[in-house]
Structure formats: C-alpha cells, structure tokens
Amino acid sequence: MNDRSVRVTLLGTGTSTGIPVIGCACRVCTSSDPRNSRLRCSCYVQTPDVNILIDAGPDFRYQALRTPVTRIDAVLITHHHFDHVVGLDDLRPYLFNNRTAIPCYTDAHTAGVLEKMFSYIFKDRDYPGVANLDLISVAKPFEVVDRTTGTGSIRITPVPVRHGNLSIFGYRIGHFAYLTDTSSIPESSFRLLDDLDVLVLDGLRHEPHTKHLTLHDAVEIAGKIGAKQTYFVHMAHSILHEEEDAQLPECMNLGYDGLTFNARLS
Ligand SMILES: [Zn+2]
Ligand SMILES: [Zn+2]
Ligand SMILES: [Zn+2]
C-alpha cells in the first residue's frame, strides 16, 4: 500500500443467512469452491494512519481472527439489521490495550435503534466490562483519526441509499465506495460516487427482492456509476460464483470473502 491509498478487505460477502445456509444441500451451499462460502457482509479498510471497520455482524469475531483485523480506530455502521450489527460487542478486545472509546458512526435513525438494541452499551452502562463505544450520528462528511494519537485524519462521506423502505448509509473513503443492502440509489447520491477506483455494491440474486438489487439491476447501476472496478456482495445461495462471475461485464466481478484490493485515497 503506498502512502496515498486505502487497502480494502472484504470480510464477508453473503446475504443475511450466510452461505452455506443451515440445512441446505443446493449446489452453492455444498460447493467446494471457497468463493461460494460467504460470511455476513463486512469490510476492513486500512489507510496509512487509520483502520476502519464497516459493520460488525454475527461473524465478526471469526472474520477478525482469520483476516486478521488487528486494529480498529472507527466503525462505520450502514444500518441496524442483525447481519450488520450483532458483532458490536465483540469489539471489546480492541479496547484492552487502548481504552479510548471506539467511535461508531451512523445515521440518526440507526443510532436511535442501536441505542435500544444495545442499551447496556450505548445508554445504561450498568455493569463492568461493557464495550466503550461512542455512538455518533452523522449526516455530512466527517473525519476519523488514529485512536491512539488523535492524528492522521481521514475524510468519510456518507452516501444515502434506499434499502426497501429504509434510507441507510453507504460510505465513500477516497476513491472507494461501499454500498451494501441497496434497493435503489437516489439521484443526489450519484454525485457522491464520481471518479471511483472501486465500488462495492449489493447484488443479491436474480429474483426480485423489495430490499435488495438484483444482479441485473446492480450491473446497470454499476455501469451508470462507472467505477474502474465493481465488486458485488450480499449474494444469496442462488449465485454460483464461477458461473455468474463469468457472465458479468468487464470490470465487474462478484466479490468473495477475503478479497483485497487498493484504491486511491486522494
Ligand atoms: Zn444485510
Ligand atoms: Zn443453498
Ligand atoms: Zn439490511
């Protein structure tokens, strides 16, 4: 990684059940191709000064061990659904050697829901050993810093997207954007997605879904955004990696767990 780039690792690329789906014997769930095994969606972004986690779902602990995710300065939360947030408590080990609170950024609605879901972390703090996480609701671009030194600020731009009847955040960091759980993108958000090196975008399956893009629609939107490279994530078990990846247009691919890539930071 040079000084002016971000290194991104896709920690998980599967839909909310994870793939394989419990009890399923379909060709994807029983595939020996590791790219068909998909943990819940999450992403680790390393910059020269600041390391950022996007979402912490039910597989976070295992993802953090296998990658490994050694340091977290800030967490960006896309929305409150189970598959994106239930790993927040597993951030505690990152506080053992650095007690400075880990800032967790999200939109105001998600912050309100998380305060109820995790009242023992974000509200009451009524027993010892609770993760020291600061919930910060944002609406505009903001800066994150090295949690140890308070220096090395990196600019994050929230990118509002529709996820069924919810308005949730994707995030842009430098020339990289991460848009999981997307059913459509408002026109005003396309302006935040120009000149991307890499776009990560929801591409659930072929059958329509009220809260997610089909792979066909995802390809169309990715074409409109025009990133140099697009990876699709949040895939269901109807998507066989080798078969579907081969049919995608140039510069578009299915993501898979453990995939890493770089993008310019500025
Ligand atoms: Zn999801
Ligand atoms: Zn299956
Ligand atoms: Zn969701």
Side-chain angles (χ1 to χ4, degrees):
M1 182 171 76
N2 74 36
D3 255 13
R4 298 168 63 76
S5 66
V6 295
R7 179 146 190 89
V8 179
T9 305
L10 298 182
L11 301 177
T13 55
T15 192
S16 55
T17 53
I19 314 293
V21 177
I22 295 170
C24 185
C26 80
R27 63 186 186 140
V28 174
C29 289
T30 56
S31 165
S32 58
D33 181 345
R35 296 172 303 178
N36 287 315
S37 284
R38 304 173 186 130
L39 297 179
R40 268 60 73 90
C41 279
S42 175
C43 170
Y44 185 43
V45 184
Q46 295 169 277
T47 77
D49 298 308
V50 175
N51 289 359
I52 297 162
L53 178 72
I54 307 181
D55 288 338
D59 299 315
F60 172 70
R61 177 178 170 277
Y62 177 63
Q63 291 165 325
L65 291 170
R66 81 171 177 179
T67 301
V69 174
T70 50
R71 179 183 137 192
I72 294 176
D73 295 294
V75 181
L76 313 181
I77 299 170
T78 61
H79 66 305
H80 62 270
H81 285 161
F82 174 91
D83 52 323
H84 298 264
V85 298
V86 297
L88 283 172
D89 202 285
D90 279 330
L91 292 168
R92 277 181 297 145
Y94 297 95
L95 293 151
F96 292 165
N97 296 321
N98 178 352
R99 292 172 169 278
T100 311
I102 301 174
C104 301
Y105 297 91
T106 192
D107 68 281
H109 173 73
T110 301
V113 178
L114 289 176
E115 230 175 65
K116 290 193 191 115
M117 281 174 83
F118 296 98
S119 62
Y120 70 100
I121 295 178
F122 296 123
K123 227 170 155 201
D124 306 331
R125 289 182 174 269
D126 54 0
Y127 62 89
V130 173
N132 188 14
L133 309 179
D134 270 352
L135 194 56
I136 302 169
S137 89
V138 287
K140 291 190 201 142
F142 56 96
E143 311 273 331
V144 298
V145 294
D146 179 320
R147 198 161 55 89
T148 308
T149 63
T151 60
S153 127
I154 297 288
R155 187 177 178 84
I156 314 286
T157 303
V159 180
V161 299
R162 297 297 303 179
H163 177 30
N165 55 8
L166 287 174
S167 176
I168 70 164
F169 278 168
Y171 293 98
R172 176 178 184 147
I173 306 168
H175 295 265
F176 162 64
Y178 183 81
L179 310 179
T180 186
D181 292 55
T182 302
S183 52
S184 67
I185 301 180
E187 211 48 50
S188 52
S189 289
F190 279 99
R191 288 197 288 276
L192 306 172
L193 297 168
D194 65 321
D195 194 21
L196 289 178
D197 290 343
V198 185
L199 167 69
V200 170
L201 180 63
D202 189 340
L204 180 75
R205 63 186 192 191
H206 291 294
E207 303 75 32
H209 190 289
T210 53
K211 293 186 171 67
H212 294 273
L213 290 168
T214 62
L215 205 47
H216 175 271
D217 291 345
V219 164
E220 199 162 292
I221 287 175
K224 181 173 169 186
I225 292 171
K228 291 193 182 89
Q229 171 68 44
T230 299
Y231 293 109
F232 299 109
V233 296
H234 216 288
M235 278 85 69
H237 62 148
S238 52
I239 302 294
L240 187 75
H241 186 100
E242 190 177 14
E243 193 174 280
E244 301 286 349
D245 190 61
Q247 293 174 35
L248 289 172
E250 219 175 306
C251 306
M252 296 188 199
N253 292 93
L254 296 182
Y256 54 87
D257 291 21
L259 175 68
T260 61
F261 51 83
N262 289 356
R264 283 171 299 151
L265 188 53
S266 54

